[in-house]
């Protein structure tokens, strides 16, 4: 896959630190993600990779350092922060579809309430998005009536409905039954191919190999390696990465 | 045993319970609105609002209702001159509604807040992640789901409110318990029948209310 990075990077983290009480979850993390780039973040649990992902739309505030998105420092709160979040799609491990709304309502809620789109237009676009992720026939059902894989695809459609500049995926397949992982990864792969800027926290090494432009390896809150996937999987430089890969790739 | 066959007594009995229903109705609406606002304050990111909500709950939930109602009459009306109607009876009624509302709002707030806590945090995170404001997140995503789990506890609050409305009798409204007291004074030989009729009327009003809220809670439950 070509590296399509051009111009200034879309997401820049500079010396970001975060503590949960005494726990240093992000330790001086610096990272930049170019437009159209797909960055996969891997690492052992507790390494801070989910927290890193969540700081980018400020679901987690940081203690020091700076994060810029599209040339602007992340706003601290209020309308400006809501606007930024509307431009960054987020997909959660546990889907988090709105339980009291139908699948189509989940997808159209943001466009209608945040962007002020006309309901009819939002519905039409919502249905097209549901079709794109392969669940148009589930539009009028409630989240609890869908399988995990279908719910996660609906959640991706909900994020895409805001026409985001970037998408964050926080372990999108970790809560799925194994047979449903593929359908979600397929949707993500097609998004990557279409040039979406993506930060993906995952344990799916196959996805990292074939869809990522870069692989970030984190351990103990530190960004330990930042390399192209082929290079990272063939020649990890750090002991931590070697150890991690030996544990997950031998099975 | 001709207490209730006398039309005068029967009218007093009916008007006593009408006062109870009016007190309950008006206070329920005010307490619901106020209680939801207080709950919104208690979960808001603004420390001053959180403090205000917490203070309200702590003060009024821990003050006997009799004191609150007395304060409304002797404090707001007699001392501060707050008159809500030229009609003496209506004035007492509205003072009672104020007292019942601010007191009951504290319980509504806590019921709603516990309902908000049953909504998984991921729901609010997802709402914020698509760019909804705090108020929108609460109004569109969190409260509708909280409301469903809060129906049954709110039913209990409503039942308590209806019975608490008798306390407005202490500042002179001729509601049911005052009517009962008068009847007992006049018909000392029929104390137990009078008591059973009044208690039975409350039960007849409130037992169906309890079942209705239980049914509603089941019907509205969110599937996860």
């Amino acid at each position: 896959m070509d590296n399509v990075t051009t111009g200034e990077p879309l997401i820049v983290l500079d010396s970001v630190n975060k503590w949960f009480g005494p726990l240093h979850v992000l330790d001086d993390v610096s990272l930049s993600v170019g437009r159209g780039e797909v960055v996969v973040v891997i690492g052992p649990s507790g390494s801070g990779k989910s927290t890193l992902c969540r700081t980018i739309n400020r679901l987690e505030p940081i203690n020091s350092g700076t994060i810029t998105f599209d040339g602007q420092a992340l706003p601290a709160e209020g309308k400006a922060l809501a606007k930024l979040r509307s431009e960054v799609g987020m997909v959660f491990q546990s889907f988090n579809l709105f339980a009291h709304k139908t699948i189509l309502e989940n997808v159209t809620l943001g466009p209608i309430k945040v962007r002020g789109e006309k309901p009819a237009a939002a519905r039409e676009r919502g249905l097209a998005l549901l079709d794109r992720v392969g669940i148009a026939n589930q539009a009028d059902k409630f989240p609890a009536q869908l399988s995990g894989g279908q719910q996660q695809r609906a959640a991706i459609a909900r994020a895409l409905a805001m026409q985001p500049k970037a998408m964050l995926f926080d372990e999108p397949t970790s809560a799925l039954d194994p047979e449903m992982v593929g359908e979600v990864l397929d949707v993500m792969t097609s998004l990557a191919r279409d040039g979406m800027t993506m930060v993906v926290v995952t344990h799916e090494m196959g996805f990292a190999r074939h869809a990522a432009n870069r692989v970030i390896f984190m351990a103990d809150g530190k960004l330990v390696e930042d390399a192209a996937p082929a290079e990272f999987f063939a020649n990890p430089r750090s002991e931590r990465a070697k150890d991690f890969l030996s544990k997950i790739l031998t099975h | 045993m001709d207490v209730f066959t006398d039309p005068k007594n029967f009218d007093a009995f009916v008007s006593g319970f009408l006062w109870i229903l009016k007190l309950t109705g008006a206070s329920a609406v005010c307490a619901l609105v106020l209680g939801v606002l207080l709950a919104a304050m208690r979960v808001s990111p603004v420390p001053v609002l959180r403090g205000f909500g917490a203070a309200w709950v702590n003060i009024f939930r821990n003050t006997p209702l009799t004191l609150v109602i007395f304060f409304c009459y002797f404090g707001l009306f007699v001392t501060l001159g707050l008159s809500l109607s030229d009609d003496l009876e209506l004035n007492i009624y509205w003072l009672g509604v104020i007292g019942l509302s601010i007191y009951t709002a504290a319980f509504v707030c806590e019921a709603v807040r516990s309902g908000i806590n049953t909504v998984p945090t991921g729901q609010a995170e997802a709402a914020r992640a698509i760019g909804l404001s705090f108020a929108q997140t609460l109004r569109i995503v969190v409260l509708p789901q909280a409301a469903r789990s809060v129906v049954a506890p709110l039913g209990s609050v409503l039942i308590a409110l209806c019975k608490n409305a008798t306390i407005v009798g202490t500042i002179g409204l001729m509601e049911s318990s005052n009517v009962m007291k008068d009847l007992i004074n006049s018909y000392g030989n029929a104390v137990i029948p009078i008591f059973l009729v009044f208690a039975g009327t409350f039960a007849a009003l409130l037992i169906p209310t309890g079942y209705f809220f239980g049914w509603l809670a089941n019907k509205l439950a969110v599937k996860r």
Side-chain angles (χ1 to χ4, degrees), chain B residues 41-128:
Chain B
M41 288 181 187
R42 291 207 73 176
V43 298
S44 84
V46 185
V48 177
L49 294 181
R50 279 208 304 273
F52 179 83
W56 185 297
V57 168
N58 283 325
I59 291 168
F60 291 111
R61 197 172 56 164
N62 298 308
T63 306
L65 179 58
T66 319
L67 266 65
V68 175
I69 298 286
F70 269 32
F71 177 80
C72 287
Y73 187 77
F74 293 105
L76 294 183
F77 173 57
V78 177
T79 308
L80 299 174
L82 177 73
S83 178
L84 297 159
S85 172
D86 293 334
D87 182 278
L88 185 66
E89 205 171 29
L90 273 181
N91 187 37
I92 294 175
Y93 165 74
W94 284 115
L95 289 167
V97 168
I98 291 180
L100 287 170
S101 299
I102 58 177
Y103 176 83
T104 309
F107 292 88
V108 171
C109 168
E110 288 306 272
V112 171
R113 195 166 68 106
S114 76
I116 288 174
N117 289 337
T118 67
V119 180
T121 48
Q123 294 285 309
E125 283 188 350
R128 285 190 286 153

Side-chain angles (χ1 to χ4, degrees), chain A residues 141-152:
Chain A
K141 291 191 184 165
F142 284 90
Q145 296 170 289
L146 269 58
S147 73
Q150 290 172 326
Q151 288 191 52
Q152 194 60 300

Side-chain angles (χ1 to χ4, degrees), chain A residues 105-137:
Chain A
E105 285 168 348
N106 264 274
V107 175
T108 56
L109 183 69
I112 293 171
K113 298 290 181 185
V114 177
R115 292 275 157 76
E117 272 183 41
K118 294 221 160 57
R123 275 180 66 90
E124 194 175 326
R125 225 159 46 76
L127 281 169
L129 281 167
L130 289 178
D131 190 44
R132 177 174 173 187
V133 300
I135 50 169
N137 55 346

Side-chain angles (χ1 to χ4, degrees), chain A residues 54 57-59 82 85-86 88 90 92 96-101 109-110 113-114 144 158-159 162, chain B residues 121-133 136 139-142 144-145 148 222-224:
Chain A
R54 290 161 57 86
N57 67 353
R58 215 180 149 83
L59 281 182
R85 283 174 174 155
S86 74
V88 184
M90 178 134 195
F92 300 86
N96 295 348
L97 289 173
F98 305 131
H100 62 310
K101 303 238 174 240
L109 183 69
K113 298 290 181 185
V114 177
R158 174 175 68 181
M162 299 305 290
Chain B
T121 48
Q123 294 285 309
E125 283 188 350
R128 285 190 286 153
I130 59 171
L132 294 178
S133 66
Q136 285 178 318
R139 189 164 50 79
I140 302 171
V141 175
V142 177
Q145 295 186 57
R148 290 157 159 85
V222 193
K223 288 189 200 72
R224 291 200 191 283

